[in-house]
Amino acid sequence: MHLRHVKYNPNGGPDGGDGGNGGSVYLRGNRNYWTLIHLKFKRHVRAEHGGNGGRDKCHGTNGRHEYIDVPCGTVVYNAETGKYICDVTEDGQEVLLLKGGRGGLGNFQFRSATNQAPRYAQPGEPMQEMMVILELKLLADVGLVGFPNAGKSTLLSALSSAKPKIANYPFTTLEPSLGIVSYRDQQSFVMADIPGIIEGASEGKGLGLRFLRHIERNSLLLFMVPGDTDDIAKEYGILAEELKRFNPDMLDKHRVLAITKCDLLDDELIEMLRDTLPQDLPTVFISSVTGKGLDELKDILWRELNSESNKLRHITAEDTLVHRDKDFTRFLQELQAEGEDEEIVYVDSEDVEDLEDFEYEDVEP
């Protein structure tokens, strides 16, 4: 609010300029990032506030936007409600997370014939503030699903140049590994080695939900069951049931069953096992050590990935990826009880103290 008083023009009237718009907060996909570790020590992200209007109808500067670079495959949830907000899947993709508020109008905008010297101005819109949780999920064509020591890491090392940890004890793989599998005519597809599932994983047992979320990002699921298992069909049913309990929509993906460690089986036993296997999905007997059945497996995987019924390659990623809202109440309560609130990423458009001249009922200090 400003009234113009200059020499030879004592009744200059109002000349207060408008305030600038506040900066917005964007998420931006960056293929150079593979993890979210760069945000570990940057928990609060604030866009710049708009500048104040000045005399002589000077417009305030617009606030600078703030961009949060995240790796491709990052999913954002509202930490308080658990609602799915957005998904960043492509390099350079920008998603508006919080829109900056509009600047208020100066008293010059309120002049009229009956109100030639308004002594009030419009305050800017209040800031927006949000607490979000960023979750990184792998992007792969084929995801390996199986119990611990099913031969998933061995298969990935046999089909690609990936070097996952391989040992003869459960939960050798603690973090998902990616490998590029070469195919005919210089074609390829991406395979993801997911840590082993145990019965009750959908309820948090074992590594629990830490790895099940990665399976949501695979267009094809390769179930792996060792050939020396007592009941192959039962073990496959347990794996499928855990995925169904975690997210029922995941069973709509194409599935292939691979019987591993077939170097321990003879041809007669393999023929006997074929009659006991599920008949509703492609099945192949393989041995990652001897290379038996690996070419046949790649042919089946390539055919399923490019089949007409598998639309993951033909429509946008936003339409094909499976998302569901999550309950972070327990997570937030545990952090608050342990005094680790700083472990949460806060995103807001500006500090409240920068707007101390105005009072808003919907803004909490």
Side-chain angles (χ1 to χ4, degrees), residues 303-352:
R303 184 179 68 246
E304 293 295 325
L305 284 173
N306 294 275
S307 62
E308 289 296 327
S309 58
N310 190 0
K311 299 298 183 180
L312 284 171
R313 290 176 172 268
H314 304 291
I315 55 180
T316 62
E318 186 69 24
D319 296 330
T320 60
L321 299 177
V322 180
H323 297 294
R324 64 169 185 167
D325 297 336
K326 297 188 177 183
D327 184 10
F328 292 111
T329 304
R330 181 180 177 184
F331 170 74
L332 296 176
Q333 290 177 349
E334 291 178 355
L335 289 182
Q336 186 175 6
E338 297 175 3
E340 297 179 359
D341 289 341
E342 69 279 4
E343 292 296 320
I344 307 171
V345 177
Y346 294 89
V347 179
D348 58 312
S349 57
E350 187 51 48
D351 284 332
V352 180

Side-chain angles (χ1 to χ4, degrees), residues 8-38:
Y8 306 119
N9 190 6
N11 299 321
D15 67 342
D18 301 337
N21 297 327
S24 301
V25 178
Y26 291 87
L27 289 176
R28 180 169 56 193
N30 191 333
R31 63 184 179 184
N32 296 320
Y33 286 105
W34 293 90
T35 66
L36 295 169
I37 192 66
H38 62 286

Side-chain angles (χ1 to χ4, degrees), residues 34 79 91 135 176 187 211 216 235 283 297 321 326 352 363:
W34 293 90
D91 180 52
E135 186 176 83
Q187 300 179 102
F211 62 88
E216 293 179 313
E235 190 161 313
T283 305
L297 175 63
L321 299 177
K326 297 188 177 183
V352 180
V363 177

Side-chain angles (χ1 to χ4, degrees), residues 14-15 45-46 73 76 91 101 139 144 193 224 234 260 265 275 278 309 314 348 353 355:
D15 67 342
V45 180
R46 300 179 177 88
V76 185
D91 180 52
L139 291 170
L144 305 182
D193 176 20
M224 302 182 63
K234 179 181 179 181
T260 63
L265 310 176
D275 299 332
S309 58
H314 304 291
D348 58 312
E353 60 188 21
L355 301 175

Side-chain angles (χ1 to χ4, degrees), residues 206-224:
L207 294 180
L209 309 181
R210 291 180 54 189
F211 62 88
L212 281 175
R213 65 176 185 265
H214 294 293
I215 304 178
E216 293 179 313
R217 284 302 187 89
N218 302 317
S219 58
L220 175 67
L221 302 181
L222 176 59
F223 288 81
M224 302 182 63

Side-chain angles (χ1 to χ4, degrees), residues 36-290:
L36 295 169
I37 192 66
H38 62 286
L39 297 176
K40 179 176 179 63
F41 302 104
K42 189 178 181 181
R43 295 297 179 176
H44 297 78
V45 180
R46 300 179 177 88
E48 188 179 20
H49 66 280
N52 296 326
R55 62 176 64 186
D56 295 331
K57 301 187 285 290
C58 290
H59 195 287
T61 58
N62 292 328
R64 181 174 53 85
H65 300 311
E66 188 70 25
Y67 292 88
I68 306 175
D69 288 329
V70 295
C72 300
T74 300
V75 185
V76 185
Y77 297 93
N78 189 314
E80 297 180 351
T81 64
K83 295 292 184 179
Y84 163 76
I85 298 177
C86 62
D87 186 9
V88 182
T89 59
E90 299 178 1
D91 180 52
Q93 177 185 357
E94 295 182 1
V95 179
L96 177 61
L97 190 60
L98 286 176
K99 182 176 177 58
R102 293 181 303 173
L105 300 178
N107 65 339
F108 177 77
Q109 303 289 349
F110 298 99
R111 72 193 189 287
S112 65
T114 58
N115 188 10
Q116 298 183 2
R119 286 173 170 79
Y120 54 86
Q122 182 188 44
E125 289 183 344
M127 70 170 189
Q128 295 183 23
E129 185 178 14
M130 183 189 302
M131 182 167 57
V132 299
I133 290 181
L134 306 180
E135 186 176 83
L136 177 61
K137 298 182 181 180
L138 291 177
L139 291 170
D141 296 311
V142 180
L144 305 182
V145 182
F147 283 96
N149 286 111
K152 300 184 294 298
S153 299
T154 306
L155 176 63
L156 182 65
S157 63
L159 294 180
S160 68
S161 299
K163 302 298 181 184
K165 183 179 180 180
I166 301 175
N168 189 23
Y169 57 86
F171 294 112
T172 307
T173 302
L174 298 178
E175 296 178 354
S177 301
L178 293 178
I180 299 179
V181 181
S182 300
Y183 194 63
R184 297 185 178 93
D185 300 328
Q186 297 182 348
Q187 300 179 102
S188 63
F189 56 88
V190 180
M191 180 176 288
D193 176 20
I194 309 298
I197 297 177
I198 64 173
E199 189 171 2
S202 59
E203 301 174 357
K205 295 182 179 179
L207 294 180
L209 309 181
R210 291 180 54 189
F211 62 88
L212 281 175
R213 65 176 185 265
H214 294 293
I215 304 178
E216 293 179 313
R217 284 302 187 89
N218 302 317
S219 58
L220 175 67
L221 302 181
L222 176 59
F223 288 81
M224 302 182 63
V225 181
D228 56 355
T229 304
D230 295 335
D231 192 339
I232 296 177
K234 179 181 179 181
E235 190 161 313
Y236 165 75
I238 294 175
L239 293 172
E241 182 65 23
E242 290 301 322
L243 296 185
K244 180 179 179 181
R245 291 180 179 178
F246 176 71
N247 193 339
D249 295 333
M250 287 205 297
L251 292 184
D252 295 336
K253 298 177 181 290
H254 282 214
R255 288 170 279 172
V256 176
L257 177 61
I259 310 303
T260 63
K261 304 179 182 180
C262 290
D263 53 303
L264 305 176
L265 310 176
D266 54 19
D267 294 339
E268 182 179 357
L269 183 57
I270 290 177
E271 293 301 324
M272 293 176 58
L273 290 176
R274 289 186 185 274
D275 299 332
T276 64
L277 300 178
Q279 304 298 319
D280 57 341
L281 74 164
T283 305
V284 58
F285 289 80
I286 64 172
S287 173
S288 302
V289 177
T290 63

